[in-house]
Amino acid sequence: MAEFVYPPVIRAALTAFKALDVRLDIRGAEHVPATGGAVLVSNHISYLDFIFAGMGAYKNAKRKTRFMAKDDVFKHWLSGPLMRGMKHISVDRTDGQPAYDAAVKALREGEVVGVFPEATISRSFMLKKFKTGAARMAADSGTPLLPVVLWGTQQLWTKGRPKTLTKRHVPVTIMIGEPIHLEPTDKPVMVTRKLRAVMSEMLDRAQREYPAKPTGPSDSWWLPAGLGGTAPTLEVAEAEDEREAAAKAARRAAN
């Protein structure tokens, strides 16, 4: 079923990008394995990141990435059938083991599985702490990690900001690094540290070489504080995430 659903979705995305003149800059597409399983690991700065990260894998190798996403997306009347049709993997955050097992199975069957190791969107647009799940999946399936960094997608739709899906001429950088192959003796924690360090260097390069600048003070929200923007610092953003998580937990307990 996925092959009947995925291609039209890709064509629709490309058509939308062309209509809005989204200026895609895909670098390192040659690093995507032509065959076999791989864990595609991306930073997370926008609700649209799965589209753009997947586009990077599709550019040359025509690989269709099966992303791990929270189960709420699969329950929606519109996105649910699409997500299932494209064989994305539903994650129940109260019990992630079934999703983990499904991801490892897909990897062993030669699929590219997409993971956002930060779990949630980074309000600071810098890398948050990484969970070790991607490294463990790569180890358990015997597949490489494929680091991917996105930049510019936050201008279209991100947490705490209104949607600007019709904004035109937005540059979007999709940077794909060399695959990281694990050794049997590698520890997931150490692999995760290496992965984050690699992606941090990639993100720094993507930010420095990004062709657009804020048009004025009111447009500096999408630029990290460390680069002169008004996005919250990583520390402030993490504190806000903790408050939001606590509020959600309180609401669940009340219900």
Side-chain angles (χ1 to χ4, degrees), residues 122-195:
S122 172
R123 301 172 193 264
S124 70
F125 309 127
M126 301 301 290
L127 295 183
K128 299 166 60 175
K129 296 176 182 177
F130 279 18
K131 297 183 181 298
T132 60
R136 291 188 290 110
M137 284 192 293
D140 287 347
S141 61
T143 57
L145 293 163
L146 189 65
V148 175
V149 158
L150 306 172
W151 191 246
T153 61
Q154 73 273 32
Q155 292 197 62
L156 297 171
W157 187 16
T158 192
K159 183 178 288 188
R161 300 288 305 186
K163 297 178 188 177
T164 51
L165 299 178
T166 57
K167 187 174 182 178
R168 295 177 57 80
H169 318 305
V170 175
V172 171
T173 301
I174 304 170
M175 190 176 293
I176 306 165
E178 295 183 9
I180 298 174
H181 296 272
L182 280 63
E183 299 294 336
T185 55
D186 287 341
K187 303 294 185 184
V189 171
M190 299 306 295
V191 172
T192 301
R193 288 179 184 171
K194 176 182 178 180
L195 174 66

Side-chain angles (χ1 to χ4, degrees), residues 193-210:
R193 288 179 184 171
K194 176 182 178 180
L195 174 66
R196 190 178 184 281
V198 167
M199 290 177 61
S200 181
E201 291 180 3
M202 292 169 60
L203 181 58
D204 178 66
R205 180 184 170 194
Q207 292 170 339
R208 284 188 288 104
E209 298 177 359
Y210 191 64

